[in-house]
Amino acid sequence: MTASAPEQTTAAPTLRDFGGGPFGIYVHVPFCATRCGYCDFNTYTAGELGSSASPESWLEALRGELATAAAAFAELPSAQPPVSTVFVGGGTPSLLGGDGLADVLAAIRAEFPLAADAEVTTESNPESTSPRFFERIRAAGYTRVSLGMQSAASHVLRVLDRTHTPGRAVAAAREARAAGFDHVNLDLIYGTPGESDADLDTSLDAVLSAGVDHVSAYSLIVEDGTAMARKVRRGELPAPDEDTLAARYERIDARLAAAGFDWYEVSNWATTPSARCRHNLGYWDGGDWLGAGPGAHSHLGGVRWWNVKHPGRYAERIASGAGLPAAGWEALTDVEQYTERVMLRVRLRSGLPVEELAAEGRAALESVVAEGLARVADDRLVLTDRGRLLADGVVRDLLS
């Protein structure tokens, strides 16, 4: 996970023991060929980095961080569980090429035991993939691919500053399936200025023709500091309309449901339980994970830390032998852990056990159910279709 956090000089995190659930590893690849106008992730183009960092120096530093983390975890009271999931994200991991991604997985295996049934995912930009790329990473041990499609409408892709051609994502998904990947995801963004219902239908037609077993769909969020935010502020683009976003979400859900996809998280649909992204479920269920790479976030037993963001500084910290390259860390209080548990688990189709709600949350539950935003099934709070549209509001009610 790579959400922004203020960098600060800090001592190494004071680690707590493993939480007892599944353990995953996230690897952040900070490189992109170009910067998309809506993106506020910790990414850098070659021109922005200059000579301060490269894929080679990043991989060397990654190996060092993995070794440092493995040594630190070995000092904890309980034995480290096998790694159940790996997720390589970015940025654009596919810019490393098939051999580069194979090297990343080899670096993880050199320090950490992987479970026999480990889910190993990489994100990829359709334009930097090929049949040979998918064959190489499948042979290396990757089991799942997530492709950034965003839209099948060329004018929508232009507004997003995406570089791939509209048909390439579908072609890449088919190539991945042909290479032996059972689990392939396509990412959509809806609500882009200028997108029509017909544009969205075109995108959904393309997704459903690709033979994938997982779809993620996210409403466009105009993040401060991005090129898109500046265009909206200058009046060059309209801000996304909330009513339009809700209508688009309902359209997506209806089309996917009719095609055999079930939602399991508010923004994610899968054809079978085995197609669900186990790594992301680890986040949503409050699991433990190591986040390796510049700006990556980690969580272990209620302690969270985040790495220095710039790839050059990240490599320098590793080379210095100063321990984990953390820019900051925090030990979550019981109240903070409760808040995050409610925020995340409410969004899951499996729901939130009612018994986990504090007294205030149980008091609010009655009104949430009366308003048709949630139901209680098997002693779990589960969002209704209408509640999914207002999930953030449901969380606020339960925590107020």
Side-chain angles (χ1 to χ4, degrees), residues 171-261:
R174 291 172 177 164
E175 290 167 3
R177 294 302 297 268
F181 282 94
D182 293 327
H183 303 307
V184 181
N185 172 64
L186 284 173
D187 268 351
L188 288 176
I189 291 178
Y190 61 93
T192 301
E195 179 191 58
S196 66
D197 287 346
D199 292 329
L200 181 60
D201 285 340
T202 297
S203 297
L204 291 168
D205 289 341
V207 166
L208 296 176
S209 75
V212 300
D213 64 348
H214 191 286
V215 177
S216 301
Y218 303 101
S219 64
L220 178 68
I221 298 175
V222 180
E223 301 284 3
D224 290 341
T226 62
M228 180 171 283
R230 291 189 289 274
K231 290 180 180 179
V232 170
R233 189 167 56 249
R234 293 193 298 262
E236 298 172 16
L237 289 175
D241 177 75
E242 292 298 325
D243 290 337
T244 299
L245 292 177
R248 296 274 162 78
Y249 179 87
E250 291 176 324
R251 199 179 194 94
I252 291 167
D253 185 56
R255 286 289 306 277
L256 292 178
F261 287 80

Side-chain angles (χ1 to χ4, degrees), residues 275-290:
R276 297 169 183 171
C277 181
R278 287 164 47 199
H279 186 84
N280 285 342
L281 282 168
Y283 296 148
W284 299 323
D285 279 332
D288 291 325
W289 69 91
L290 169 69

Side-chain angles (χ1 to χ4, degrees), residues 14-20 23 69 72-73 76 80-81 287-290 298-305 330-332:
T14 301
L15 300 181
R16 294 177 182 168
D17 205 5
F18 295 97
F23 177 69
F73 292 171
L76 295 175
Q80 181 210 304
D288 291 325
W289 69 91
L290 169 69
S298 301
H299 176 269
L300 190 69
V303 174
R304 181 163 51 214
W305 67 96
E330 58 185 346
L332 300 175

Side-chain angles (χ1 to χ4, degrees), residues 338 342 346 357 360-361 364-365 368 381 394-400:
Y338 169 74
V342 172
V346 161
L357 285 171
E360 296 83 356
L365 176 60
V368 168
L381 180 156
V394 172
V395 169
R396 285 194 296 270
D397 289 344
L398 295 174
L399 293 175
S400 61

Side-chain angles (χ1 to χ4, degrees), residues 265-282:
E265 192 273 342
V266 168
S267 298
N268 290 272
W269 293 257
T271 56
T272 64
S274 64
R276 297 169 183 171
C277 181
R278 287 164 47 199
H279 186 84
N280 285 342
L281 282 168

